[in-house]
Amino acid sequence: MPRRPSHLMANFTLPQLPYAYDALEPHIDATTMQIHHTKHHQAYTDGLNKALGSLDAKFQSMDAVDILKNIDTVPENARGAVNFHGGGYNNHTLFWNNMKKGGGGEPSGELADAIKKAFGSFADFKTKFQTDSVAIQGSGWGWLVKNASGGVQFITMPNQTSPWTRWKAEKLTPLLGLDVWEHSYYLKYQNRRADYVTAWWNVVNWDEVAKRFKA
Ligand SMILES: [Fe+2]
């Protein structure tokens, strides 16, 4: 996560992708990745800085996850913008790291056990995740999250609202997120969101998800 000087106003910067734009071909095409990263993720980054700019000094030095966990403390006139852009900033950072070249397959170890316990089997988990993500009306994300009891569950979130905003009430930690905004698939898949999700399983970085589950 990029650092920023504490004496200045919020200065979040666009995190670098952990791979080349064409690394996820043919499942996710290079042009989509480039625009998604340099235009959309950049816009959330800029929007977050702008939204935080008018707030108290204490918000300028918080990291994005802390801001999202404490979204209820953000003054009401800026809360919507901070929720949207802060969520967009953090969601996309997670998303890039949730994928890798040559990903896919199935998780192992404790994460695999937790998925089996929550969903019955890995196949049942995939069906639930895919069906409910495809069914999101408009824009949003499907998430595998860790819950307060240390297990996992699936949730959907609208627009860019982060699962971290449910930390105080439910102790949810995002593990694996799937962006189903049209900007994440439209160039290659047009209206075929289900085809995008089917392809996306081939690039999931289960090692990263397992690391987040254990942390
Ligand atoms: Fe996106």
Side-chain angles (χ1 to χ4, degrees):
M1 199 69 73
R3 299 282 170 210
R4 61 213 149 93
S6 60
H7 62 286
L8 293 173
M9 295 215 306
N11 186 25
F12 288 96
T13 56
L14 183 66
Q16 288 205 325
L17 282 193
Y19 37 71
Y21 287 121
D22 65 359
L24 308 180
E25 293 266 13
H27 309 294
I28 303 182
D29 61 291
T31 306
T32 296
M33 288 297 295
Q34 185 167 15
I35 293 172
H36 202 169
H37 181 241
T38 63
K39 305 297 183 190
H40 294 279
H41 199 181
Q42 182 71 60
Y44 300 122
T45 306
D46 296 343
L48 177 59
N49 288 327
K50 186 170 177 225
L52 291 172
S54 61
L55 300 181
D56 276 6
K58 69 169 181 176
F59 291 106
Q60 314 301 331
S61 57
M62 288 165 80
D63 74 29
V65 171
D66 280 337
I67 291 168
L68 294 167
K69 282 180 173 175
N70 295 285
I71 193 72
D72 58 309
T73 67
V74 174
E76 219 174 329
N77 63 346
R79 194 179 305 153
V82 172
N83 182 68
F84 182 78
H85 295 290
Y89 174 82
N90 187 251
N91 289 345
H92 286 85
T93 304
L94 287 171
F95 187 54
W96 311 136
N97 287 289
N98 276 169
M99 300 185 289
K100 69 172 184 181
K101 186 181 183 71
E106 295 188 22
S108 57
E110 290 172 33
L111 176 60
D113 294 343
I115 287 174
K116 198 172 175 188
K117 191 174 172 198
F119 300 96
S121 68
F122 183 70
D124 289 333
F125 154 73
K126 272 180 82 172
T127 300
K128 168 79 176 164
F129 193 112
Q130 173 137 354
T131 305
D132 289 11
S133 296
V134 169
I136 291 171
Q137 295 183 339
S139 298
W141 291 68
W143 289 99
L144 179 70
V145 297
K146 190 173 180 176
N147 59 28
S149 58
V152 295
Q153 67 188 76
F154 175 83
I155 60 169
T156 62
M157 296 297 286
N159 299 309
Q160 295 296 353
T161 301
S162 164
W164 285 121
T165 61
R166 293 166 61 171
W167 173 259
K168 277 188 182 169
E170 301 169 76
K171 293 286 181 288
L172 298 186
T173 302
L175 301 177
L176 172 66
L178 171 61
D179 187 349
V180 295
W181 281 59
E182 283 188 345
H183 69 224
S184 62
Y185 62 87
Y186 203 84
L187 290 179
K188 183 177 173 79
Y189 296 98
Q190 292 82 48
N191 61 312
R192 303 186 307 277
R193 184 187 279 181
D195 291 354
Y196 156 67
V197 182
T198 299
W200 174 76
W201 292 112
N202 294 305
V203 297
V204 171
N205 182 351
W206 284 111
D207 292 338
E208 174 70 16
V209 183
K211 201 172 83 185
R212 294 184 60 78
F213 179 69
K214 276 192 135 171

